[in-house]
Amino acid sequence: GSGAEKAAAKWIEGRFLESGLKAWKEDFASPEDGSVSAELKTGGISWRVWPIQFSPVGRARGPLVFLGNEEEADRREVAAGSVGILMPMADLFTRQALLRKLEKAGLAAVIVVSPLNDNVNTKIVRDPTLARMPVVTLTYAEALHLKNQEGKEATVQVHGEITHMGI
């Protein structure tokens, strides 16, 4: 886990020991989120975006396409190498399955629109099985303007410490 998670585990262990309880640590496989920041650029404009939890670290470039919601995106023929904008409306498992399908189809990156006007939800997808497709989010208010960039070249970059989740 992260440094913060390790510090939290040490703190919890200390509280157990102070209380006279036995404490031990057990290692187990767990996904690790290595993303720390993200960038999106289209037509000379830099957009405020955040990496989705467990997004693969990396850079992708391609034409910006509007995917619609999960049901619409699932029916749409998506050009490999494009950068999609997804308006989420379905449950988490449906979103995760769709993103795995889009990654397999060759989509370069996905921008998931947070459903709140001025806030973002970086856990709106959180799929640790994605291997190469960067996934970012932005506010609904920003997405309204981003839609006008459809067809233009988009560059998405997720910065971080690791390049894959290694589950």
Side-chain angles (χ1 to χ4, degrees), residues 88-139:
M89 295 180 72
D91 61 88
L92 174 63
F93 300 111
T94 301
R95 284 193 295 275
Q96 289 174 328
L98 175 64
L99 261 61
R100 289 191 290 270
K101 179 181 175 181
L102 293 172
E103 181 177 58
K104 187 175 181 180
L107 199 72
V110 175
I111 303 158
V112 182
V113 178
S114 286
L116 303 171
N117 197 44
D118 296 322
N119 296 309
V120 293
N121 179 355
T122 60
K123 295 182 178 181
I124 198 161
V125 177
R126 67 180 187 275
D127 187 347
T129 66
L130 296 174
R132 58 138 196 93
M133 185 176 67
V135 184
V136 299
T137 188
L138 79 168
T139 66

Side-chain angles (χ1 to χ4, degrees), residues 1-2 5 28-34 53-54 126-129 162 164-167:
S2 70
E5 289 167 333
F28 58 92
S30 175
E32 184 175 350
D33 182 19
Q53 186 181 31
F54 303 129
R126 67 180 187 275
D127 187 347
T129 66
I162 57 176
H164 59 82
M165 297 301 103
I167 296 178

Side-chain angles (χ1 to χ4, degrees), residues 43-98:
I45 301 170
S46 291
W47 302 85
R48 287 187 62 197
V49 295
W50 291 261
I52 292 287
Q53 186 181 31
F54 303 129
S55 172
V57 172
R59 183 176 183 270
R61 186 175 173 169
L64 192 63
V65 296
F66 183 72
L67 301 173
N69 64 35
E70 294 88 350
E71 184 179 324
E72 295 163 337
D74 193 41
R75 291 191 313 252
R76 182 167 298 191
E77 288 291 323
V78 179
S82 58
V83 174
I85 304 171
L86 178 65
M87 299 289 293
M89 295 180 72
D91 61 88
L92 174 63
F93 300 111
T94 301
R95 284 193 295 275
Q96 289 174 328
L98 175 64

